[in-house]
Amino acid sequence: MTFKFPHRLVRASCAAAGALGVAALLAVASPAERARAADARFETPQAAYTIGREAFRAAQYDRAVTPLRYAADRNVFLANYYLAEILSDPRNASFDSAEAFRRYLKLIAETPDVDPAYDYRAQFVARAYVKAGRYYLGELHATGVPRSPSKARRLFGYAANYLDFPEAQYQFARMLIRGEGGSRNAESGKHYLSTLSRKGHAGAQGTLAEMFFTGSGVEKRPDFALALSTLALENARDDHRIWIAELHHEIRCTVTAAERAKATSLLADWQQKFKPSHVSPRGRTDVLSGATAKWTCERGPAIANGPSWPERDRLEAMHGSMFGLAGGTKTADDAREETQLFNLDDTTD
């Protein structure tokens, strides 16, 4: 009788023994040795990136860190970007804002001539410019990064003008209007906001709504403010939704019946003309009429699936008031530009 050697059993036993051996090694090894043993799992940097990317897409962010770091440290461009995104989020166990800031700067430094017309990396580099700018503004915090509005303005300005990135244009516009980090240029700032609003940018629409509501830098128009804040609330993603909801609530509970009627007429037209480039995951709702609103003027807004109150306070502090700094008073030059810059019935840019 011929004895058949159980190869599969042996292979399984060897694999188990190997795994136990690695585990034992990691238990007693130095940090450098543990890193080398962990790195042995990845055949190539690209393979590591693929593993990390799939974990990122599955929202398993902490599991994505090791393979992404392995790939990023071996010059896989997107690995560096996704790793920075994970490290910059305080909700993740691997949160490390200082390393995230360094990696955003690395992305910028390594792509000085990226062309948004031809290079897929441009959109990721533009986001790195915005994130780095927000660190310099103090909206995001990293140990050892001093607040520098002038550096933030330069970063936003480059991504706005050369990379044509909407969020950078929005941030740059706010700094121009407030005169933060450089000279004040309200005309250019308002032009950016007007153009972005036509393209459906919720932050720009909300900021314009605030301006028309308070009469800061423009003629006071509560009907414009209500229509714009409604558009903004419909289009908003989570990073803008909290402060826009608060603003919309304040405007909605202040306008007269006649102003509300004018806003309703404007909104019907603007919803067709100024559609966003993305589809809100929440879909459109009849925010203006209050048919599906989850608040009253007495209670204030209750936002479904919104951030916790500490996070809400952080977002509101980050947004602040458009006119909390110098430059909130309407000048004669501003008044002369109102018709041109804020004629939202004109669909031309």
Side-chain angles (χ1 to χ4, degrees), residues 17-332:
L20 290 172
V22 171
L25 172 63
L26 294 177
V28 298
S30 67
E33 290 170 332
R34 285 199 299 270
R36 284 194 295 272
D39 289 349
R41 291 178 295 172
F42 309 121
E43 294 181 1
T44 65
Q46 189 62 39
Y49 165 68
T50 300
I51 294 170
R53 180 191 61 194
E54 294 306 312
F56 184 95
R57 289 177 175 176
Q60 298 174 350
Y61 302 119
D62 295 319
R63 190 169 71 84
V65 168
T66 297
L68 287 177
R69 180 176 278 118
Y70 178 88
D73 291 344
R74 289 157 181 79
N75 300 316
V76 177
F77 173 82
L78 283 177
N80 201 33
Y81 171 78
Y82 286 122
L83 178 58
E85 288 289 283
I86 294 171
L87 296 175
S88 68
D89 191 336
R91 293 171 295 184
N92 296 326
S94 50
F95 171 64
D96 186 335
S97 58
E99 183 183 352
F101 176 72
R102 291 194 301 271
R103 290 189 177 274
Y104 285 126
L105 292 186
K106 184 174 185 286
L107 286 166
I108 293 170
E110 292 180 349
T111 51
D113 301 316
V114 65
D115 188 335
Y118 304 104
D119 196 329
Y120 80 94
R121 298 176 300 170
Q123 60 178 311
F124 300 100
V125 175
R127 292 188 181 105
Y129 271 94
V130 171
K131 280 291 185 73
R134 291 180 61 195
Y135 277 107
Y136 280 126
L137 272 185
E139 293 179 354
L140 300 174
H141 301 280
T143 303
V145 180
R147 189 175 187 275
S148 177
S150 61
K151 289 182 180 179
R153 180 162 164 163
R154 289 197 296 272
L155 289 167
F156 293 148
Y158 184 89
N161 293 308
Y162 294 99
L163 299 178
D164 196 29
F165 190 58
E167 188 63 22
Q169 292 167 348
Y170 169 67
Q171 296 286 354
F172 188 50
R174 295 178 65 208
M175 298 194 79
L176 288 172
I177 291 174
R178 296 184 298 191
E180 188 176 12
S183 60
R184 181 173 181 259
N185 190 336
E187 178 181 340
S188 292
K190 289 186 290 186
H191 180 71
Y192 271 118
L193 292 179
S194 181
T195 301
L196 287 168
S197 291
R198 297 166 191 268
K199 295 177 179 179
H201 188 284
Q205 290 170 339
T207 300
L208 280 180
E210 184 178 14
M211 294 169 69
F212 281 119
F213 181 57
T214 61
S216 299
V218 296
E219 178 187 0
K220 191 171 184 178
R221 288 291 302 269
D223 54 334
F224 275 26
L226 181 56
L228 279 168
S229 68
T230 305
L231 273 180
L233 189 56
E234 290 177 343
N235 297 335
R237 296 173 186 253
D238 288 341
D239 53 347
H240 291 299
R241 190 169 178 81
I242 300 300
W243 69 264
I244 288 174
E246 293 283 3
L247 174 67
H248 174 74
H249 171 255
E250 184 179 1
I251 296 170
R252 183 173 176 271
C253 294
T254 303
V255 297
T256 65
E259 291 164 342
R260 186 188 297 271
K262 289 181 182 178
T264 301
S265 178
L266 288 168
L267 183 63
D269 184 41
W270 291 355
Q271 281 177 328
Q272 297 302 314
K273 290 181 178 179
F274 311 134
K275 294 180 180 179
S277 58
H278 70 276
V279 177
S280 171
R282 294 175 174 81
R284 288 189 175 273
T285 56
D286 190 4
V287 181
L288 184 58
S289 70
T292 60
K294 297 186 177 183
W295 64 79
T296 66
C297 291
E298 291 74 26
R299 285 191 301 146
I303 303 166
N305 300 319
S308 63
W309 280 104
E311 175 68 1
R312 180 177 179 146
D313 291 342
R314 185 189 70 80
L315 289 169
E316 290 174 353
M318 181 181 77
H319 169 67
S321 170
M322 267 302 296
F323 299 95
L325 301 176
T329 303
K330 181 170 67 175
T331 66

Side-chain angles (χ1 to χ4, degrees), residues 190 217-219 330-340:
K190 289 186 290 186
V218 296
E219 178 187 0
K330 181 170 67 175
T331 66
D333 288 338
D334 293 333
R336 283 194 292 270
E337 294 294 333
E338 286 172 7
T339 302
Q340 291 177 295

